[in-house]
Amino acid sequence: MVKEVTTPGQWLTDTVINHCQGLLWAQFPVVDGLQEIGVVTAGVFVGTPKSAFVQIMNIHGNHWVTASNMNCDEGTVNLYDSMATSLDTNGERALAWMLYTNQKRASTVKTG
C-alpha cells in the first residue's frame, strides 16, 4: 500500500482511503461516519450518524472529498473539496443520509 501512495501519478484507491479512515477511527473513536467507501459510493448506508461525523466520499468516480458536520448548525455540513466540484447524485444522496435532520431543509457549505 505504501507504494500506491508514494508513486507519482497513482490514484488513491478505495483500499487506501478505507485504511486512512480506519486510522482516523482508531485515533478518534467518538467521531461518527467514516463508513467504508464502497458502502457510501453504492448508496447503501449502515445507519445515520448519531453525532458529529466525518466522511470521505468519492464523487464522479475520480475525485475524493470530505464531508463533516463538526461545529456546524443542525442540517448543515462542510464539504472540503480541493477542486470545488459539484456533487453527483450519489454524493447528494450520501450527504442527505448523513444529514438526516428534523429541519425542512439542509445546506452544504463548500470550503476549498
Side-chain angles (χ1 to χ4, degrees):
M1 185 175 317
V2 172
K3 187 175 181 181
E4 257 185 273
V5 175
T6 59
T7 304
Q10 292 293 314
W11 289 69
L12 296 175
T13 64
D14 292 6
T15 302
V16 171
I17 297 298
N18 283 332
H19 183 74
C20 291
Q21 289 194 132
L23 292 172
L24 287 170
W25 183 82
Q27 190 171 2
F28 305 102
V30 297
V31 175
D32 214 338
L34 300 172
Q35 298 281 337
E36 183 178 326
I37 295 304
V39 171
V40 174
T41 302
V44 178
F45 306 108
V46 185
T48 300
K50 304 288 187 250
S51 59
F53 69 83
V54 174
Q55 182 64 53
I56 300 173
M57 306 182 319
N58 187 289
I59 59 172
H60 304 292
N62 62 2
H63 182 59
W64 297 105
V65 298
T66 302
S68 176
N69 69 345
M70 297 181 83
N71 300 316
C72 291
D73 293 333
E74 183 181 353
T76 303
V77 63
N78 285 324
L79 184 66
Y80 300 94
D81 179 359
S82 63
M83 296 177 64
T85 54
S86 58
L87 287 175
D88 58 10
T89 303
N90 284 339
E92 289 176 355
R93 285 183 187 143
L95 284 181
W97 161 79
M98 287 184 272
L99 283 174
Y100 180 79
T101 177
N102 291 326
Q103 303 278 38
K104 290 183 179 182
R105 186 179 180 118
S107 61
T108 303
V109 178
K110 280 190 161 187
T111 58

